[in-house]
Amino acid sequence: MTLRPYRPLLLGVSLVVPFTLLSACASAQPTSNQAEAAETRVSAESSPTLLAQNTQSSTSSQPTQPDLQGHASFDAWLAAFKRDAAAQGISQRALSALDNVRYLERVIELDRYQPEFVRPIWEYLDSAVSSTRVRNGREKLAQHRQTAARMEERYGVPAEVLVAIWGIESNYGGNFGDFSALNAFATLAYDGRRSDFARGELLAALRIIDSGDIDAQDMIGSWAGAMGHTQFIPSSFEAYAKDGDGDGRRDIWGSIPDVMASTANYLARANWQPGQPWGIEVTLPADYDYAQTERRSSAEWAAQGVRSANGSSLPAFDSAALIVPAGAKGPAFMVGPNFRSILRYNNATSYALAVATLSDAIAGREGIQQAWPRDQVPLTRAEVRELQQGLNALGYSVGGADGILGPNTRNGLRAFQRDQGMVPDGFANQAVLERIKQR
């Protein structure tokens, strides 16, 4: 089963990524950080691939009821959609694939799911980069080494990175979902909450069928329509999928050469820099200013006292950010352009860190050295709302109390921490909530 990425409660230094990424989950159960990721996913669904996901379920919250926009029936909506699709050039052969499409309430339940609890990043990484996944990744790389090497030569993306994304996205093909993409997007388009996105993806799916790349019954993926071994949504398939085995089709469901070529092409188009690492674990000076959000060169970070955790030289980045996904008490990382390329695949820092560290482990490189602050208890959504309300009441304007730790909340929290003589790392935990409540 795949793992849902943890979007860090707070970053000591923000990573601003101009192109946010996509959407869905391969298994049927949404997970602990879906509430925070939902708005990013929904606003960015025009981009490519899926979020991996956690197999743990939560019973702490219930899905909301769907809003069907007042449509008379799903069948009536589907008939109107078919007429519009035909007017846009979709063939009758492809349109016939909609004859068996049906509305799935389960898709709406999963889309509406808002969990109460957020998994800490170390728990996510424990599973995402488990010893089993590392071992299986090494086996997959050995099995497909020639294909991976060929794609590395063609696109400049290391073989172990391609295998790591494969592992995080679908557990090396073990779970890329069992939902019909046509059912998923038709349901979401009819439902209305993000109908424009889903309607566009449904049209793209029909164009893929028209192209002959895949038959409708084989277009299988997650409940949100992300498809195949490395979970492309249809519009991303159209833009980035490649024929890696030369058979004239782009098959991310059954052809590993096509899977690797498509994934490598996506990262290459996302500005992957051949020969550069994703980043490096670092140590920070005692007086480090956690409020810094700028990207700087490695030389500039070194001038501030930033050093590699293993004593090696810092990578020669012209532009790098520092991130502290668990605050000042956890590991710190200097991340360069290739980390941002992984974020283009999925705009969650934890996801990018999972891919990066899994690829390192598959290649036999060392893992994260500094311990995670496992004694820290993450805040529930209700507690995050309480924290936001408290910050607003104290004059640290963070916007609406929505239970989501976004940039405004992080900035307000850092300002509060600074004023209280605390380390202003923007990391929300029980201790800082209690301090706010005491004011």
Side-chain angles (χ1 to χ4, degrees):
M1 300 288 284
T2 53
L3 298 169
R4 185 77 162 79
Y6 160 86
R7 293 180 65 81
L9 293 180
L10 290 168
L11 295 181
V13 178
S14 300
L15 267 181
V16 180
V17 182
F19 180 70
T20 54
L21 256 145
L22 118 59
S23 102
C25 320
S27 80
Q29 176 62 50
T31 56
S32 54
N33 79 314
Q34 182 162 356
E36 182 176 356
E39 291 308 315
T40 299
R41 289 193 288 109
V42 170
S43 65
E45 304 260 22
S46 58
S47 306
T49 83
L50 136 99
L51 301 176
Q53 84 181 29
N54 169 16
T55 59
Q56 291 185 350
S57 64
S58 170
T59 58
S60 61
S61 63
Q62 298 296 324
T64 60
Q65 295 300 311
D67 173 9
L68 299 183
Q69 288 188 309
H71 292 300
S73 70
F74 178 72
D75 288 342
W77 175 88
L78 187 60
F81 174 83
K82 287 181 179 179
R83 291 191 294 271
D84 185 54
Q88 295 190 44
I90 301 298
S91 73
Q92 286 302 312
R93 185 185 70 83
L95 287 174
S96 68
L98 298 177
D99 291 346
N100 297 319
V101 162
R102 58 195 179 93
Y103 178 85
L104 300 179
E105 285 195 14
R106 183 58 175 154
V107 168
I108 301 305
E109 292 173 358
L110 292 166
D111 187 55
R112 293 292 196 269
Y113 189 88
Q114 292 198 353
E116 178 60 21
F117 296 97
V118 177
R119 279 180 101 198
I121 186 171
W122 47 89
E123 288 186 8
Y124 169 69
L125 291 176
D126 286 348
S127 298
V129 195
S130 66
S131 59
T132 298
R133 185 159 289 176
V134 172
R135 182 178 65 253
N136 290 343
R138 289 173 177 169
E139 291 175 357
K140 291 296 184 182
L141 179 55
Q143 183 181 353
H144 300 284
R145 187 173 299 280
Q146 288 186 343
T147 296
R150 188 167 70 252
M151 300 311 162
E152 179 173 352
E153 182 178 1
R154 182 180 305 173
Y155 296 101
V157 181
E160 64 268 20
V161 172
L162 301 178
V163 173
I165 288 179
W166 184 17
I168 298 296
E169 291 292 346
S170 69
N171 200 15
Y172 310 110
N175 178 31
F176 52 70
D178 57 5
F179 286 81
S180 158
L182 299 181
N183 282 340
F185 287 122
T187 297
L188 293 169
Y190 173 60
D191 170 61
R193 186 172 75 88
R194 44 190 178 128
S195 58
D196 288 344
F197 156 73
R199 187 183 185 89
E201 293 303 319
L202 185 55
L203 285 167
L206 293 174
R207 290 193 296 268
I208 293 168
I209 294 169
D210 250 346
S211 73
D213 283 308
I214 191 74
D215 292 331
Q217 66 269 21
D218 297 324
M219 189 176 276
I220 301 300
S222 74
W223 63 265
M227 309 178 303
H229 284 264
T230 49
Q231 299 283 278
F232 277 35
I233 58 174
S235 60
S236 295
F237 181 99
E238 287 190 299
Y240 303 107
K242 290 292 184 180
D243 174 13
D245 58 16
D247 68 351
R249 298 170 57 242
R250 299 173 295 172
D251 180 6
I252 61 172
W253 296 265
S255 168
I256 298 307
D258 290 8
V259 169
M260 289 190 172
S262 300
T263 306
N265 181 54
Y266 182 79
L267 290 174
R269 295 274 297 277
N271 200 35
W272 186 273
Q273 302 296 301
Q276 283 194 7
W278 61 267
I280 192 171
E281 186 180 356
V282 296
T283 59
L284 305 177
D287 60 350
Y288 177 74
D289 178 9
Y290 287 87
Q292 296 180 86
T293 60
E294 301 84 3
R295 294 191 182 104
R296 306 182 189 278
S297 69
S298 297
E300 290 172 317
W301 286 123
Q304 290 193 31
V306 175
R307 300 289 183 266
S308 70
N310 62 9
S312 64
S313 300
L314 294 176
F317 293 137
D318 293 330
S319 176
L322 292 186
I323 60 171
V324 283
K329 294 184 178 180
F333 306 91
M334 175 191 293
V335 296
N338 289 342
F339 193 84
R340 297 195 291 275
S341 296
I342 300 171
L343 284 167
R344 289 279 298 274
Y345 205 92
N346 180 326
N347 191 29
T349 300
S350 60
Y351 173 89
L353 194 58
V355 169
T357 54
L358 179 57
S359 68
D360 282 343
I362 290 171
R365 295 186 287 269
E366 65 184 359
I368 297 171
Q369 303 299 300
Q370 186 172 341
W372 294 100
R374 294 177 181 271
D375 59 333
Q376 300 291 319
V377 179
L379 302 183
T380 66
R381 284 177 60 86
E383 288 170 331
V384 173
R385 287 192 289 269
E386 189 176 4
L387 177 142
Q388 291 168 325
Q389 291 165 351
L391 289 172
N392 282 331
L394 293 171
Y396 301 93
S397 180
V398 300
D402 57 5
I404 297 172
L405 282 156
N408 289 338
T409 303
R410 292 195 290 270
N411 290 337
L413 180 55
R414 278 194 288 264
F416 171 81
Q417 290 171 317
R418 187 181 300 107
D419 291 345
Q420 294 297 305
M422 305 170 70
V423 176
D425 61 2
F427 184 65
N429 55 23
Q430 298 292 335
V432 75
L433 176 60
E434 286 303 314
R435 181 74 70 94
I436 290 171
K437 289 164 63 174
Q438 293 168 6
R439 301 304 300 164

